[in-house]
Amino acid sequence: MKNQLKDMVTKRQLGIHCGIPSFCCANKLVIEAILDQAKRFDDTVLIEATSNQVNQYGGYTKMRPKDFRNFVYQIADKIEFSRDKIILGGDHLGPLPWLHLPAEEAMRKAIELVKLSVLAGYTKIHLDTSMRLGDDSLDVPLSDDLIAERGAVLYQACEEAFQERLKKHPDAIHPVFVVGSEVPIPGGAQEKEEMVAVTKPKDFEQTLLAYKRKFAELKLNDAWNYIIAVVVQPGVEFGDAEIHHYNRIKSARLCQCLKKYPDIVFEGHSTDYQAPTKLKEMVEDGIAIIKVGPALTFSLREALFSLSMMEKELILNENDRANFITVLETAMMKTPKYWEKYYHGDEHQMTVCRKYSFSDRSRYYMALPEVEAAINKLFDNLNSVEIPLNMLRQYMPLQYIKVRDGKLACKARELAKDSVVMMIEDYNYAVKYNYMISGVFVK
């Protein structure tokens, strides 16, 4: 079977407008919303996990690569969504979780991670070796050649793992690969940036040349049949309260340079919160893989806060309320390691960030037992009463329109999921020809 991401590149070579969102998320409700929406349109979906989220030691989700695969498949099976329409990906796969270790040890762990990912059936792999390791010099930046050398070693490990996978799964789909990393590490920028520099065309081409040299040295002659994208910085990013919007004029030289390489596309990270028209421009300009993560869980958190506001109005006995907002804040204060390096300012500013930051560090806490229990209790409480339409309009005006028009059930869980769907629709608009959305946030 042919990898569907290679088909996307082929279609673009023929002048067909297409691309694919990369949903980087491990939240159960978000993934269910993604698959529900894909089922409506009979779409193939790309769902990825970072090396910090999922690795051989469990990552912060406590899942290994095969566990994440099974987690996604269980959600798909529950809603009767075909597993064949799910592309599983690994994002920033490499030595990132082991930066503090000497290079040899960190790379040994990275090799194990990429092998386990391929053996688990991941068919889209981002090889990221752009970071300094424990014994790398702090005085000079990593050279393109060293980054490519480490990436080529990981590529070779993936090929070995795929040959092993073929023994049990003769019809297995060969993975495709993305190289390069022109973005902050997973989790978002740690400092506010006044401007975001677009990748220079010569830097993009030097990345390609370095990989070509290293693949040739390792006699990996077929590698370029499976390299489909290079990660670049097209000038998009977000912070706690600011968004750097795509400017196709500023990225024009970079995107023009891509036309010399028709067999690859660009992958854009941190496209969260871009206007749908900007996302569409990115796809038109060659940034065909558009990655989104925090915006998905931000949308869910936003909905859960709105539902909590309605719970406060409708559940009169305070002791019966789920008090989700308080439970989440308590969990974040109890274990601050997932947000304290990212949020800055006085106590009030950090309180606001924990609740409302675009970086959405609250996503690290959503699967905690006490937080999950509060979400379920919130849903149960609101389903035990009737949410008045006038109140729904106050707190969830976009969902109100769908409920009013008979397109959405006025049930708490469905309302929460639909908030995520509204974000997904922006990406459908970007990658599909003539796709229509409401237009509320288009401009």
Side-chain angles (χ1 to χ4, degrees):
M1 294 177 67
K2 191 174 181 182
N3 195 302
Q4 293 181 64
L5 292 175
K6 282 186 72 69
D7 283 344
M8 177 196 70
V9 176
T10 301
K11 287 177 182 177
R12 292 185 64 87
Q13 290 170 342
L14 296 172
I16 300 170
H17 175 83
C18 64
I20 191 166
S22 170
F23 299 113
C24 194
C25 189
N27 182 283
K28 187 185 300 183
L29 268 173
V30 168
I31 292 175
E32 186 175 324
I34 291 166
L35 298 182
D36 267 338
Q37 184 71 349
K39 189 176 178 181
R40 286 181 58 200
F41 297 99
D42 196 29
D43 284 341
T44 295
V45 293
L46 169 57
I47 298 176
E48 300 201 50
T50 70
S51 54
N52 283 330
Q53 284 176 315
V54 174
N55 58 49
Q56 61 266 45
Y57 303 105
Y60 72 76
T61 63
K62 306 296 188 291
M63 286 189 279
R64 296 166 296 172
K66 66 177 182 180
D67 299 325
F68 182 70
R69 174 201 64 198
N70 294 340
F71 172 71
V72 174
Y73 283 171
Q74 285 169 5
I75 298 170
D77 292 346
K78 176 184 172 185
I79 66 168
E80 298 181 340
F81 184 83
S82 173
R83 295 182 178 187
D84 292 338
K85 288 190 169 293
I86 299 172
I87 301 169
L88 291 174
D91 189 31
H92 293 285
L93 294 195
L96 179 65
W98 307 288
L99 294 174
H100 60 289
L101 297 176
E104 184 178 350
E105 187 178 353
M107 283 298 293
R108 188 164 59 246
K109 292 179 183 295
I111 288 169
E112 181 185 1
L113 172 58
V114 297
K115 282 189 169 184
L116 289 174
S117 298
V118 172
L119 289 171
Y122 291 31
T123 55
K124 191 264 188 183
I125 307 290
H126 172 210
L127 300 174
D128 185 4
T129 53
S130 62
M131 62 292 299
R132 282 194 183 92
L133 302 179
D135 51 2
D136 287 330
S137 172
L138 297 176
D139 298 328
V140 293
L142 291 185
S143 68
D144 289 331
D145 282 340
L146 180 57
I147 292 170
E149 179 183 323
R150 290 173 177 173
V153 167
L154 294 183
Y155 176 89
Q156 189 173 41
C158 290
E159 287 294 339
E160 291 169 2
F162 182 67
Q163 294 307 313
E164 186 179 340
R165 179 170 169 78
L166 282 176
K167 294 174 184 177
K168 290 186 178 179
H169 305 278
D171 296 328
I173 297 171
H174 196 291
V176 294
F177 298 86
V178 176
V179 297
S181 181
E182 281 281 335
V183 290
I185 61 172
Q190 294 187 27
E191 302 290 346
K192 182 176 179 179
E193 297 185 32
E194 296 303 322
M195 60 178 294
V196 178
V198 175
T199 301
K200 296 177 181 177
K202 74 171 187 177
D203 291 340
F204 155 59
E205 292 191 288
Q206 284 174 356
T207 294
L208 291 180
L209 288 172
Y211 269 96
K212 285 181 178 179
R213 285 194 296 269
K214 295 304 175 182
F215 285 144
E217 287 176 16
L218 292 175
K219 295 182 170 55
L220 298 170
N221 301 319
D222 293 334
W224 286 101
N225 293 330
Y226 302 107
I227 305 293
I228 65 158
V230 177
V231 175
V232 294
Q233 173 51 274
V236 300
E237 187 52 78
F238 58 90
D240 288 332
E242 65 279 345
I243 302 166
H244 296 273
H245 298 285
Y246 181 63
N247 184 325
R248 71 188 328 173
I249 295 174
K250 290 183 178 180
S251 64
R253 287 179 60 244
L254 173 65
C255 294
Q256 189 68 28
C257 183
L258 179 65
K259 293 180 180 179
K260 293 157 57 177
Y261 306 95
D263 294 333
I264 60 173
V265 298
F266 285 146
E267 175 168 294
H269 290 215
S270 301
T271 70
D272 309 64
Y273 311 108
Q274 294 290 311
T277 50
K278 296 297 183 182
L279 292 171
K280 194 179 190 76
E281 287 178 3
M282 290 173 70
V283 175
E284 289 171 349
D285 293 346
I287 308 156
I289 304 173
I290 42 178
K291 191 173 293 293
V292 56
L296 299 168
T297 45
F298 179 96
S299 297
L300 176 61
R301 192 273 317 149
E302 189 176 42
L304 293 171
F305 273 30
S306 295
L307 292 168
S308 296
M309 299 295 184
M310 290 189 283
E311 179 193 46
K312 192 173 181 179
E313 297 280 4
L314 296 171
I315 304 300
L316 301 182
N317 188 332
E318 187 175 349
N319 293 328
D320 291 338
R321 296 175 193 154
N323 294 314
F324 166 76
I325 297 174
T326 301
V327 171
L328 179 62
E329 171 70 0
T330 301
M332 293 182 75
M333 291 299 292
K334 182 179 177 182
T335 312
K337 66 179 180 178
Y338 295 120
W339 58 265
E340 60 186 352
K341 290 191 299 183
Y342 296 85
Y343 297 155
H344 308 282
D346 59 28
E347 187 175 338
H348 173 69
Q349 288 171 317
M350 287 193 286
T351 299
V352 171
C353 283
R354 284 193 298 274
K355 287 183 175 180
Y356 304 113
S357 170
F358 282 141
S359 297
D360 187 44
R361 307 301 296 181
S362 71
R363 68 187 185 275
Y364 290 81
Y365 302 84
M366 288 291 191
L368 291 177
E370 64 270 31
V371 178
E372 206 164 55
I375 293 171
N376 290 331
K377 185 175 181 180
L378 174 63
F379 291 165
D380 289 342
N381 279 346
L382 289 175
N383 289 337
S384 71
V385 297
E386 184 176 340
I387 300 174
L389 275 181
N390 53 4
M391 188 182 296
L392 184 64
R393 176 169 173 139
Q394 172 70 41
Y395 291 107
M396 303 184 81
L398 299 180
Q399 284 65 48
Y400 157 80
I401 293 170
K402 292 185 178 182
V403 171
R404 180 199 66 190
D405 296 347
K407 297 177 180 178
L408 178 67
C410 194
K411 297 294 183 182
R413 200 168 193 274
E414 298 308 309
L415 293 169
K417 282 167 48 180
D418 189 71
S419 187
V420 180
V421 167
M422 298 297 290
M423 180 64 66
I424 296 167
E425 285 208 315
D426 291 352
Y427 287 82
N428 279 344
Y429 174 80
V431 300
K432 293 173 180 286
Y433 179 71
N434 211 26
Y435 185 85
M436 301 299 291
I437 56 176
S438 67
V440 176
F441 291 134
V442 168
K443 294 182 180 179

